[in-house]
Amino acid sequence: MIGRAVIAQIGGPTRVINASLVGAIRAALKNRDTISELWGSLHGPEGLIKGNFIDLSAQNSRTLTRVSRTPSAALYSSRKKIGKDISEEEVFNALKKYNLRFFFYIGGNDSADNANTINEIAKKNGYELTCFHIPKTVDNDLRVNDHTPGFGSAARYVANVFAGDNYDNLSLGGVKLNIVMGRSAGFLTAASALARQKEGDAPHLIYVPEVPFEKEMFLRDLDSAMSKYGRAIIAISEGIEDKEGRPIAWDGKTLDSHGNPQFSGSSFLADELTRWVEESRITKRVRADTLGYAQRSYLETISEQDWKEAYTAGRETVRLAVSGYQSGSVAILRNPRKEYGYNLQLTSLESVAKTPRKMPLEFIKGTNDVTSEFIDYAKPLIGGPLPIRGELKMIRPYLS
Amino acid sequence: MIGRAVIAQIGGPTRVINASLVGAIRAALKNRDTISELWGSLHGPEGLIKGNFIDLSAQNSRTLTRVSRTPSAALYSSRKKIGKDISEEEVFNALKKYNLRFFFYIGGNDSADNANTINEIAKKNGYELTCFHIPKTVDNDLRVNDHTPGFGSAARYVANVFAGDNYDNLSLGGVKLNIVMGRSAGFLTAASALARQKEGDAPHLIYVPEVPFEKEMFLRDLDSAMSKYGRAIIAISEGIEDKEGRPIAWDGKTLDSHGNPQFSGSSFLADELTRWVEESRITKRVRADTLGYAQRSYLETISEQDWKEAYTAGRETVRLAVSGYQSGSVAILRNPRKEYGYNLQLTSLESVAKTPRKMPLEFIKGTNDVTSEFIDYAKPLIGGPLPIRGELKMIRPYLS
C-alpha cells in the first residue's frame, strides 16, 4: 500500500497533543516510499469535508520542533461531532475524493469510535484505507491504556496548583475549594494528591465523579477536616454527581455544542459549593477557584515523560501503518517491573472506542481520598518531583 | 543599639515573600553582636499581641533554603488590619513588653503605613526602636519603587497562562475572557502582553483599572477584534471600574474581612462579562476563566530575577538596620543603562505608605492595550523568556 496520508486532531486540546502530531509527521517523512504525500486536515473532520488541508511535508524541522513543544492542536481542533454534525460517510467520501489512503486521527474515545466506523465503511466499499487512532486526553479515561498522553502534564499542573495553594491556605486559613477538570473520570482531580509532601498537606478532601456526592456528606467531611487541620483545601471534580447521577456542576440549562451539560468555563459548581459552606457556618472564610484551561494548556509546565510518550505514540502509530498493519490504536501499557517503564501495544479501534473508563476502585479511599496505589501509579507520569519547598520549625523562643 | 528583633509578614502572599524573609533571617544571624535574638511573629501583628512567636535563629540552614523557595508567608499572614482590628498602639505595647528593639515588617503600602505609625509612637515614647518595612506585592503598586518583589513571578505565571491559552483559543475559536488579579493597578493584567510572540497572538484586548470600562466600548472593541482575528482572548483586571468609579467586578454586597468589596475568589465579573458577550451575539462560543490564587502561589513558576531581588531586599534591610539606620523601606530602582540592572535605595516609610501607585500612562495604549514601553519594562522582571512554541506554516498542498 502506497499513497497519500492525512492527519487530524479533534476534541479538547492537551499540553502534548502536538508531540504526537510531530512524532507522526517525522515518522511519515522517513517513509516516503509508502506515504507519498502527507497532509494535515485543519479543524479535524471539518478540513476533510471542506478540502481545507496543509502540506505537512513542507514544514521545516525547526518549525516541527517548536510545534512539538506547543500546547493545543496545531492543526486546530473542532467542536463538530462526527456522527452528529458530520457523518462518518461524509468523512469517508472526502478520503475517497482526495485519494487519501492513510488516515491518522488524534483524539479520545469518541474519535476512536469515529475512526472505527470510517474504517468499516471503507472495508464495505472495498476502498483500501489504513486507519489509525492516536490517543490523547487529559481525562485519562481511555480503556486498554494504563494512562493516556496529555494526562501527565495536566496532572503536573494540578499538583503544582495544590502544592502552592497549600501554603496560601496555611498562611491565611479557612476553606479553599478548587474545581478540577474531568467529566466522568476522577484521575485529574485525584492528581491533586501528588501535591502532598507530608501529613496534613493539601488537599484534605478529594471528591471524584466515581463516588456519589451528597451535600450532607460533604459538610460532615468538611467539619471534621476543619477540626483536624484547622483549615481545608478541597479538590472537587467538575463531574461530581449525586446518587441519582445528576451532575452537581450543572446549572440545569447551559449546553455545550455537543448538547452535553456544559461545565468548563462555568463557575456554577464553585459558587454552589461556596454557598453551602457559607450557610453551614463551619468557617467564615471560603474561597473557590475553578481551575481553567491552564490545566490543559499552561505553557511552562510539561511532564517530559508525558511528552516523550505522546511523541512515541504518534511515531509508532505511523510505523505500524507503514509496516502494513491496517487499523487500530496504540495503547500505553505499564511494565510490571518496580521501576517505571512503558510499552506500546497495538489494540483494536473498538477496544478503546465509545465507553470511557473510570478510576479503578483500588485508587479510591473511602468517599473523599485516594489510596497510596494511586500515588504510586500517578507519580512517574508527571515527569519528576515538584520543586523543593518546606516550612519553618515551630520552635518557641524563651520569653524572658 | 543591641537587642532582640522580630519579623512579621502580612497581607496577600506572594511567590517570593519567603525569599525576603530568609534573606532577612540570614543577614540577622550574621550580626548576632547587634541582633541578639531573632523571633518571628506568627500571623503578622496577631502573633505580636498574643505573644505567639517562633525562634528564627533555631532554624537549620536546610530548612531556611527550602522555605526561601516556598510560596506564601512561612510566618503565616493575617487578615486583621492594623489601624482597625488591631491598633498600632497595641503592636507598639507588645514590642515594648517583649523588649523587641528591631521590627521588620514584610508587606505592602498599608504595612508601610502601619510601620510608620508604630515608629512614630516609639519615638514619642522615647522607646529605642529600629523599624523597617520590606516591600512585597503582586500588584506592583508601591510608590518610589520601579517594581516590587512578588510581581515578577506573578507576571510570569500570567504570561504562561495567556501563552498557552493562545493556542487553545486558536484551535477552538470564539471568545475567551481571562480575569486577572489587581485591585487598583493594572500591572499584572498588562503582564499578559508578555505572552505575545508575534502579531495576532493573545491577548487581543487588555483592560486595566486605570482606564474607565464601559460595556459599549468593550463590545465595540470585541467586535473589531473578532473581525480582525476571527477570535479573541481578553485580559481583564478584576479591578476595572466604570466612569463613576464603580467596580464592575463587585456583586454589590460581598465584603472581605477589611470591609472592601471582595473580588478574589469570586467569579461575578467573569459571569457578568460572559452574559454581555452572549447577549451581544458577536460570537456563539464564550468561555471565561477567573485566574485564581495560582497567580501568587503556583509552585513551579518563579522568576529567578524576582526571587533574587526579594532575597536581596530582605538581606539589605537587615544590613541597614544593623548599620545604625533607624527606619525606612528599601525601594527597588532600575539602572538607567540599557541592559537591565537594579539598585536598592533606602526610602522613608511615609514615601511608600498609604496611597498605592497606578500604572504610568506611558504604559497604556489607548483604552485596550499596553505600549512597547511596558513590554521593555516588564520583560526583564519575569526571569528569562517563556519556553519555545510555534505554529505550523499554512502551506497548501497541490490538490490533485
Side-chain angles (χ1 to χ4, degrees):
Chain A
M1 179 69 199
I2 300 173
R4 197 176 267 169
V6 68
I7 310 182
Q9 294 172 304
I10 186 86
T14 80
R15 182 65 188 82
V16 299
I17 185 171
N18 287 331
S20 294
L21 173 67
V22 172
I25 294 172
R26 287 216 161 111
L29 295 181
K30 281 191 182 153
N31 288 280
R32 300 301 290 264
D33 50 342
T34 313
I35 292 178
S36 55
E37 287 172 76
L38 181 63
W39 294 0
S41 166
L42 296 184
H43 290 293
E46 294 180 56
L48 265 164
I49 61 170
K50 289 180 191 162
N52 194 6
F53 300 108
I54 62 169
D55 188 350
L56 294 177
S57 61
Q59 309 291 324
N60 68 44
S61 183
R62 190 184 131 95
T63 298
L64 291 179
T65 299
R66 294 180 78 102
V67 166
S68 78
R69 304 292 301 181
T70 302
S72 191
L75 290 172
Y76 309 149
S77 191
S78 172
R79 283 163 282 128
K80 298 258 189 286
K81 209 179 168 86
I82 299 197
K84 196 182 157 213
D85 310 300
I86 300 172
S87 71
E88 281 101 343
E89 283 78 8
E90 283 179 276
V91 174
F92 168 69
N93 290 338
L95 292 171
K96 214 166 56 173
K97 175 177 174 192
Y98 297 107
N99 196 24
L100 296 158
R101 296 296 174 167
F102 294 87
F103 178 45
F104 300 105
Y105 205 34
I106 312 179
N109 54 310
D110 280 347
S111 321
D113 191 38
N114 296 147
N116 191 37
T117 308
I118 292 161
N119 190 42
E120 293 301 321
I121 300 171
K123 274 188 194 160
K124 211 169 56 192
N125 287 273
Y127 180 81
E128 262 197 283
L129 180 72
T130 298
C131 184
F132 276 86
H133 167 257
I134 302 172
K136 74 88 208 163
T137 165
V138 298
D139 289 348
N140 203 34
D141 61 355
L142 278 186
R143 284 180 297 136
V144 187
N145 291 267
D146 176 77
H147 58 277
T148 321
F151 171 67
S153 298
R156 186 174 184 89
Y157 177 85
V158 168
N160 266 295
V161 167
F162 279 82
D165 215 9
N166 178 56
Y167 301 102
D168 208 300
N169 176 259
L170 193 59
S171 143
L172 282 167
V175 170
K176 177 73 194 298
L177 311 168
N178 287 333
I179 313 294
V180 184
M181 276 184 178
R183 190 173 284 265
S184 62
F187 291 102
L188 198 53
T189 305
S192 63
L194 297 172
R196 292 177 187 149
Q197 206 174 221
K198 59 170 180 49
E199 168 64 22
D201 278 354
H204 304 102
L205 297 167
I206 300 173
Y207 296 104
V208 293
E210 286 80 358
V211 178
F213 186 90
E214 299 293 334
K215 183 176 177 177
E216 297 64 37
M217 174 193 82
F218 167 65
L219 293 175
R220 206 168 48 236
D221 292 352
L222 178 59
D223 203 31
S224 24
M226 286 300 287
S227 308
K228 194 166 171 190
Y229 306 109
R231 65 183 187 115
I233 293 189
I234 311 178
I236 301 144
S237 169
E238 64 178 2
I240 52 167
E241 297 174 339
D242 66 16
K243 278 179 194 141
E244 280 73 42
R246 285 182 300 243
I248 316 281
W250 193 38
D251 61 7
K253 47 182 200 285
T254 313
L255 300 174
D256 68 13
S257 57
H258 296 165
N260 297 322
Q262 181 189 307
F263 302 159
S264 72
S266 150
S267 57
F268 182 82
L269 181 59
D271 292 344
E272 184 78 353
L273 298 184
T274 300
R275 198 160 36 244
W276 291 1
V277 177
E278 279 170 351
E279 286 167 8
S280 76
R281 299 181 181 279
I282 290 171
T283 177
K284 277 204 291 190
R285 187 169 190 268
V286 196
R287 296 289 187 276
D289 281 326
T290 301
L291 275 55
Y293 284 8
Q295 290 169 96
R296 65 191 197 195
S297 69
Y298 187 77
L299 185 65
E300 194 164 66
T301 292
I302 193 163
S303 157
E304 290 301 334
Q305 185 64 39
D306 187 28
W307 187 91
K308 197 170 74 181
E309 294 181 9
Y311 189 92
T312 310
R315 186 188 65 200
E316 292 306 314
T317 302
V318 169
R319 285 186 181 169
L320 286 168
V322 298
S323 303
Y325 293 91
Q326 190 270 322
S327 75
S329 178
V330 289
I332 300 179
L333 304 183
R334 185 180 301 233
N335 289 343
R337 291 193 300 271
K338 197 168 187 292
E339 189 130 332
Y340 176 76
Y342 71 100
N343 297 114
L344 295 180
Q345 183 186 280
L346 178 61
T347 188
S348 69
L349 289 167
E350 299 91 327
S351 67
V352 291
K354 282 186 186 162
T355 327
R357 67 166 175 161
K358 301 264 180 190
M359 276 234 290
L361 285 179
E362 78 239 41
F363 288 170
I364 301 171
K365 187 173 166 186
T367 56
N368 58 34
D369 205 354
V370 297
T371 59
S372 61
E373 284 79 7
F374 174 78
I375 302 291
D376 294 343
Y377 162 81
K379 213 176 205 168
L381 308 181
I382 66 167
L386 300 186
I388 63 154
R389 66 258 187 220
E391 294 169 39
L392 292 170
K393 298 202 163 55
M394 292 291 122
I395 305 163
R396 298 293 169 176
Y398 174 71
L399 299 185
S400 65
Chain B
M1 177 69 198
I2 300 173
R4 196 177 266 167
V6 68
I7 309 182
Q9 294 172 305
I10 186 85
T14 81
R15 182 65 189 82
V16 299
I17 184 171
N18 287 331
S20 295
L21 173 66
V22 172
I25 295 173
R26 288 215 161 112
L29 295 180
K30 281 192 182 152
N31 288 281
R32 300 301 291 264
D33 50 341
T34 313
I35 292 178
S36 54
E37 287 171 79
L38 181 63
W39 293 1
S41 168
L42 296 183
H43 289 294
E46 295 180 56
L48 264 165
I49 61 169
K50 289 179 189 162
N52 195 6
F53 300 109
I54 61 169
D55 187 350
L56 293 177
S57 60
Q59 310 290 325
N60 67 44
S61 183
R62 193 184 128 94
T63 298
L64 291 179
T65 299
R66 294 180 78 102
V67 166
S68 78
R69 305 291 302 181
T70 303
S72 190
L75 290 173
Y76 309 149
S77 192
S78 172
R79 282 163 283 127
K80 297 260 189 288
K81 209 178 167 89
I82 300 197
K84 196 181 156 215
D85 310 300
I86 298 173
S87 70
E88 281 101 342
E89 283 79 8
E90 282 180 276
V91 174
F92 168 68
N93 290 338
L95 293 172
K96 213 164 61 172
K97 176 179 171 189
Y98 297 107
N99 197 25
L100 296 158
R101 297 296 175 166
F102 294 87
F103 179 45
F104 300 105
Y105 206 33
I106 312 178
N109 54 309
D110 281 346
S111 321
D113 190 38
N114 296 148
N116 190 37
T117 309
I118 292 162
N119 190 43
E120 293 300 321
I121 300 171
K123 274 189 194 160
K124 211 168 58 191
N125 287 271
Y127 180 81
E128 262 195 284
L129 180 72
T130 298
C131 183
F132 276 86
H133 167 259
I134 302 171
K136 75 90 208 161
T137 165
V138 297
D139 289 346
N140 204 34
D141 61 355
L142 279 185
R143 285 179 294 138
V144 185
N145 291 267
D146 175 77
H147 58 278
T148 322
F151 171 66
S153 297
R156 185 173 184 88
Y157 177 86
V158 168
N160 266 294
V161 168
F162 279 81
D165 215 8
N166 179 56
Y167 300 102
D168 208 301
N169 175 259
L170 193 58
S171 143
L172 282 167
V175 171
K176 179 71 192 302
L177 311 168
N178 287 332
I179 313 293
V180 185
M181 276 184 177
R183 190 173 283 268
S184 64
F187 291 101
L188 199 53
T189 305
S192 62
L194 297 172
R196 292 177 188 150
Q197 207 175 218
K198 57 169 182 50
E199 169 63 23
D201 278 353
H204 304 102
L205 297 168
I206 300 174
Y207 296 104
V208 292
E210 286 81 357
V211 178
F213 186 90
E214 299 294 334
K215 183 176 177 175
E216 296 65 35
M217 172 192 83
F218 167 65
L219 293 175
R220 204 167 50 236
D221 292 351
L222 178 60
D223 202 31
S224 22
M226 287 300 287
S227 308
K228 192 166 172 190
Y229 305 109
R231 65 182 187 115
I233 293 189
I234 311 177
I236 301 144
S237 168
E238 63 177 2
I240 51 167
E241 297 175 338
D242 66 16
K243 278 182 193 140
E244 279 74 42
R246 284 181 302 239
I248 316 284
W250 192 38
D251 62 7
K253 48 182 200 283
T254 313
L255 300 175
D256 69 12
S257 58
H258 295 165
N260 298 324
Q262 182 190 307
F263 302 158
S264 72
S266 150
S267 57
F268 182 82
L269 180 59
D271 293 344
E272 184 78 354
L273 297 184
T274 300
R275 199 161 33 244
W276 292 1
V277 177
E278 278 170 353
E279 286 167 6
S280 77
R281 299 181 182 279
I282 290 171
T283 177
K284 276 205 292 189
R285 188 169 189 268
V286 195
R287 295 290 186 276
D289 281 326
T290 301
L291 275 55
Y293 283 8
Q295 291 168 94
R296 65 191 197 194
S297 70
Y298 187 78
L299 185 64
E300 195 163 65
T301 293
I302 193 165
S303 157
E304 292 299 334
Q305 186 63 38
D306 188 27
W307 187 92
K308 197 170 73 180
E309 294 182 8
Y311 189 92
T312 309
R315 186 187 67 200
E316 292 306 313
T317 302
V318 169
R319 284 186 182 170
L320 287 169
V322 298
S323 303
Y325 292 91
Q326 189 270 323
S327 75
S329 178
V330 288
I332 300 179
L333 304 185
R334 186 179 298 232
N335 288 343
R337 289 193 300 270
K338 197 170 185 294
E339 189 131 330
Y340 176 74
Y342 70 100
N343 296 114
L344 295 180
Q345 184 186 280
L346 178 60
T347 187
S348 69
L349 289 167
E350 299 92 326
S351 68
V352 291
K354 284 187 186 162
T355 326
R357 67 166 176 162
K358 301 265 180 190
M359 277 233 291
L361 286 180
E362 78 238 41
F363 288 170
I364 302 171
K365 187 173 165 186
T367 57
N368 58 32
D369 205 352
V370 298
T371 58
S372 62
E373 283 79 7
F374 174 78
I375 301 292
D376 294 343
Y377 161 82
K379 212 176 205 168
L381 308 181
I382 66 167
L386 299 187
I388 62 154
R389 65 247 186 233
E391 293 169 41
L392 291 170
K393 298 201 162 58
M394 293 291 123
I395 306 163
R396 299 292 168 177
Y398 174 70
L399 297 184
S400 66

